Amino acid sequence: MTRIVFCVATIVVLVSTARAGSTTAPVSDAHYIAEFDQRFHKRAAPVALKDLVSIQRYDELFMGHNLDEAVGADLAKLGGDIAWGVAYRMISLNDMFRLTHDPKYLQANLRLINAVMTVRDDRTGTKNFRGQVVPAWTTRNYASRGRTVFLVHTGMIVYPMLDAIHLAATSAQVPAETKAELEKLLPPAMESLHYHDREWRDGPASDEGCYVGLDEEQAIEGKPQPANRLSAMGRCLWTAWLITHDSHYRDRARAIGWYIKRRLTIGDDGAYYWPYSLPESPTTQPVKINHSAFPGEDTSHATLTVSFPMMLAQNHEVFNDDDMRRFAKTVINGWARLGDGVLFGNISGSPRSKPDLVIHPASWLPLAAYDSAVKSRILPFYLNYEHALRPEEVAPLLSY
């Protein structure tokens, strides 16, 4: 029995060595690869990207009857957890419009937005744990005290609403009726956004600001929210600025951007790394990165964290091209460092992470515009491994 175990372990190490491109790949990487292969089964042969994703494929999977089911689902049961499913579909519809300029995607999103607004707590009379009815979406999950609103849920739900409104208002391809129907949704969307004004705190630096936890997990009560949650709201604020041209929203979005940027760690490899909860003070940099020991944010939540800096960089605010190249190195040197489609479950590339936290890596593909190696690290995951496509992955895969 001992010999058999030794032989299996040796085979795993050899597989790891081949994939990592090194003769000294640590056993811990080998263990992760074995776990990854169990979670995502490797294809007998790689598929071509054109056979995996297309506009037609998106429509087959996520439009038509499938969309009807999503619109007709009992969303009230989900409450705030709409953020982790329906909201991503809403984001995907906006992205498909950006890709194709076909108004059917914004019209489909309009249906979803109306369905989501219908089940907002103040529309259903649902009370939070304090007995209040608020213009947001509560959930029973994540906090022991009872039904409450989470900042990140509001950010995830409201952002694709505002984004759809802005896309319609600025696109000649969208019919006037669709523009008007989406514009009607601006006041209630902004009402949900402003519900969280009570959580805003200026500082600590004069150009920084963040939201703190109130009525969420007791561990973050009164403390700055984690980076992914700040980014969720940051996207709302920046999009609200694009729609309204009210500098209040622009200034708060910038403040969150500076708050996040100054608390990212620059590794000795030139990449940005960060934990789930940012340090209270600006980081001392650069830092020697130990992939196994650095407490990197899980790759799933980090996808949300990086989305806001990418948005600001595209608008030449706070983050610049050098910052985007550092985020690209987060992919190349961190969570996709092994190559061959094997991706780690946290951004520092720790073999202690969990493959289950690799959820939608295609969302990082815009960073390929700053370093083409990002594409060569992420695409093999889709080509080499069996993975049920999520709606938000299709447009990035088609674009990059």
Side-chain angles (χ1 to χ4, degrees), residues 23-67:
T23 58
T24 57
V27 174
S28 54
D29 280 359
H31 291 163
Y32 182 84
I33 290 171
E35 190 176 359
F36 188 87
D37 283 352
Q38 187 174 10
R39 171 63 181 84
F40 300 102
H41 301 295
K42 197 161 190 181
R43 302 180 191 274
V47 298
L49 187 62
K50 64 181 178 62
D51 296 327
L52 185 67
V53 290
S54 64
I55 295 170
Q56 180 182 359
R57 180 73 172 148
Y58 180 92
D59 290 354
E60 290 172 353
L61 290 174
F62 307 115
M63 297 288 279
H65 178 67
N66 189 278
L67 178 70

Side-chain angles (χ1 to χ4, degrees), residues 206-228:
S206 60
D207 58 351
E208 294 177 349
C210 68
Y211 291 92
V212 300
L214 288 181
D215 292 344
E216 297 188 21
E217 306 101 318
Q218 291 176 320
I220 67 164
E221 189 75 16
K223 298 178 181 178
Q225 293 263 6
N228 68 83

